Amino acid sequence: MGAITPLGNDVATTWDAAKRGVSGAGPITHFDASKFKTQFACEVKGFNPDEHFDRRKLRQLDLYAQYALVAARQAVEDAGLEAEGSDVNKDRVGVIVAAGIGGLHTFEEEAGYYALNEDKGPKYNPFFIPKMIADIASGHISMEYGYHGPNYGVVSACASSNNAIIDAFNLIRLGKADVMLTGGAEAAIYPAGVGGFNSMHALSTRNDSPETASRPFSKSRDGFVMGEGSAVLVLEELEHALARGAKIYAEVAGGGMSADAYHLTATHPEGLGAILSMKNALEDAGMKPEDIDYINVHGTSTPVGDVSEVKAIVDVFGDHAHKLNISSTKSMTGHLLGATGAMEAVFSVKAVQEDIVPPTINHEEGDEDEEIDYTLNFTFNRAQERPVRAALSNSFGFGGHNATVIVKKFEK
């Protein structure tokens, strides 16, 4: 696994911060946000592109693709795919890295340039299109390593990288690949991203306290906090992994997908699409609700979305809903949009591996919403140690896209 996140620039640092309940939010530095309704976000910190790419390569890479490439390099190294003596067949190694938006900063720069020069006629950077498009991160990763297997991007808004993981999982099950690099990347903390979400009243405007603004399941929640970064995981067919002595963190058990078919941006108020997605994932995994110990919820800190997801969990899990742990790591990382499912898959894998549930931070006593069942264990404010045999992770996106991934402990 590899990760570049608002909590750290690798998996170990990110996971340590998540266990400690650290907030990644702060004032926006990517641009002057002083005139915006929202002036804060969960930005990646201490990332210097010059440490990873030469000047020529940087001309080809939007920030979202930079994050993806660095996270992929970490994952490849962690998996030993390029280690000396590795005999992995590169024709059977594929890449699916998702983005909900793609190169938004590149688009802004080029659109602004055209507006300034329209009297002279259009003049665009030749790298404009290949820097901007949402599939290009997968292409760069494959070119860096010579991986010739299935290669594309997935776009389903904030469900994108869960869909990418499910696609990669299914391609391996179908025998189309032995190894897949999969995940997501996003870098949309720029004027169009923040301004666009502000116009929809989707973002928190708690400018006086950015670090506490993402507060899923609290009555005072007022919208999500935008995040950025990338997470990439290496999925591998079991016998192939065992044969080469691979380090195995967890097993991907199943995936489920559905559509709300309800509203452009809002989830179904009763969580019908979420219910179907979770049920489909459990069926695909051959598991019962009682087999799940932890749910990494979509939990964006929006008034409607949090309520509908809780309703869906109670519907699917019944009495067992009160025996499992629930947490929203977006309370710490913010919402990484198209990269969020991959980041939360990493958290789910680590929870299974270490038997630790990361917390939902920023909940205060007396800040309860009457529409939410607080007899459920939301793991408020402090990580909890408990056996985690299997974890379920939800991601939902504009357009009614729902995708659920289940990971469980690996047993030979």
Side-chain angles (χ1 to χ4, degrees), residues 3 14-15 34 38 42 56 70 118 154 190 211 213 240 242 251 266 274 277 305 312 321 347 358 395 398 410:
T14 297
W15 177 236
S34 59
T38 296
C42 288
R56 182 178 179 183
V70 175
E118 56 185 348
V154 174
Y190 289 102
E211 68 280 358
H240 188 274
L242 292 174
E251 178 182 347
S277 185
F347 286 140
S395 287
F398 287 175
F410 169 67

Side-chain angles (χ1 to χ4, degrees), residues 5 18 25 28 64-65 77 82 88 96 106 114 136 162 173 228 243 263 268 271 307 314 335 341 347 378:
T5 82
I28 290 172
Y64 99 94
E77 181 178 1
E82 297 294 313
V88 172
I96 308 175
T106 297
Y114 176 61
I136 206 66
N162 259 12
R173 290 201 291 188
E228 64 173 356
H263 189 272
H268 190 283
V307 171
V314 171
H335 192 348
F347 286 140
F378 290 97

